[in-house]
Amino acid sequence: MKEYDTIVIGSGVAGLSAAYELKAKQQQVLVIEENLWGGTCPNRGCDPKKILIGGVEARNRIKQLLGKGFSEVPPLNWQELQSFKRTFTDPVSANRQKELSQAGIDHLTGTASFLDEETVEVLGKTFRGKHFVLATGQRPTILPIEGKEFLQTSTDFLALAELPKQLIFIGGGYVSFELATIARAAGSEVTIVHHNQRPLKEFDEELVQEAIVQMKKAGIQFAFDVDTQKITRQNEKLQLIAGKESFEADAIFCATGRQPNVESLHLERANVDFTKKGIIVNECLQTTNPQIFACGDVIEKQLPKLTPVATFEGQYVAQKVTQQQQKTINYPVIPTIVYGSPKIATVGTTKIEEDRQVETVTQEMTSWFTYHRVNEPLAKVKLCFNKENFLIGASVLSEQADELIDFLTIAINQRLTKEIVDQWIFGYPTLASDLPYLLK
């Protein structure tokens, strides 16, 4: 039986961030991965999605400038775009293993299961660790309904060789909004079905509704208050049945949430508690077994389960394991982005209806040069300031919301005011040069 200082289970950004940090502290580290090396983000998550979104963004820019330099909108070639995406995704798994080898980090492909608090089994071999880092991530859930075998997930969508003509996305979260935007730009007929009237519930409701108006103008259909009961196949078509209502499509994708990858770990043997939402951790990311840590999307938490958050947690865990960090984890404000069209982004404190010491300022930015020069149909920001006039939260709706939200995140974390920013000189005209007009 081989022994290690730390065994990391999962090779996504959380696990690898921890592994490299631990190795830098001269630890003997083993990383175990049962599927694609690199995890969800670079293989079947944010990176391939953003590549596909890049094609949508290019097409949108031309669409916005029809009659202002362009006479037609080019079609989005799905096969070519997917081929381009694969130049990024196909090498990921092999590259991650090569990088681990170059760093002198042992790694093994297989499913890890705990035998006891100090031992895991992989492919019939046993390994002992003084510490463990659990970073196995999540996977899409499938609704437990009749006909669930006909449902596909975001993983399936991102791997489509050909795009079906009619698509349905079940769920009103960011996955549905993003994939529907991609599919519609590539020429599919798209419907988003949601069980209530409030999609994207973590985002500003007014901005979400304005985004829906713009998406409807692009041809995306929405069906709210639809409680999906079963899926059936009628000839070559799929039917989504919801009471007396039914919807037809060539493919139906389930985007109703994600679940932690914990089943194969046999956590009970290691005295690690978990729920259906993830592994339970304390403020130091320790599980109920203090020698075992968890980080990334597999843990139970209220914070957004995002790639940069997982990286942050992985680095923190490594510092805790090596006793370089004594404090509890302290998260900065975390921006969250929906890559639809238009994009929606939020950061910090934005739900402040009951706090009279917080002021909300809405800026309509559509006429600003930044947006007018590319003829964006709508650009708006909501800013929340505390009584000392420091920015504490922001929500943005525009095609460039993903870039502006990062500047606003810096402003919150660094407690920037207009007086401070006025002393800086930005490149002009840029999103950054708009920052002085957004702060107080």
Side-chain angles (χ1 to χ4, degrees), residues 168-173 176 191-196 221-228 240 242 247 253 255-256:
I168 291 175
F169 294 94
I170 304 174
S176 286
T191 301
I192 294 177
V193 171
H194 190 47
H195 66 91
N196 61 31
Q221 300 181 56
F222 291 84
F224 296 123
D225 289 326
V226 174
D227 188 12
T228 302
L240 185 155
F247 302 84
F253 296 88
T256 54

Side-chain angles (χ1 to χ4, degrees), residues 310-331:
T311 301
F312 185 85
E313 291 171 347
Q315 293 170 342
Y316 171 85
V317 162
Q319 293 169 3
K320 289 297 292 185
V321 169
T322 56
Q323 299 182 346
Q324 302 295 308
Q325 174 64 265
Q326 302 301 320
K327 297 180 180 179
T328 60
I329 191 165
N330 181 27
Y331 295 91

Side-chain angles (χ1 to χ4, degrees), residues 331-334 391 408-416:
Y331 295 91
V333 294
I334 301 168
L391 183 69
L408 297 174
T409 299
I410 293 170
I412 295 172
N413 281 322
Q414 298 299 316
R415 294 173 65 82
L416 299 180

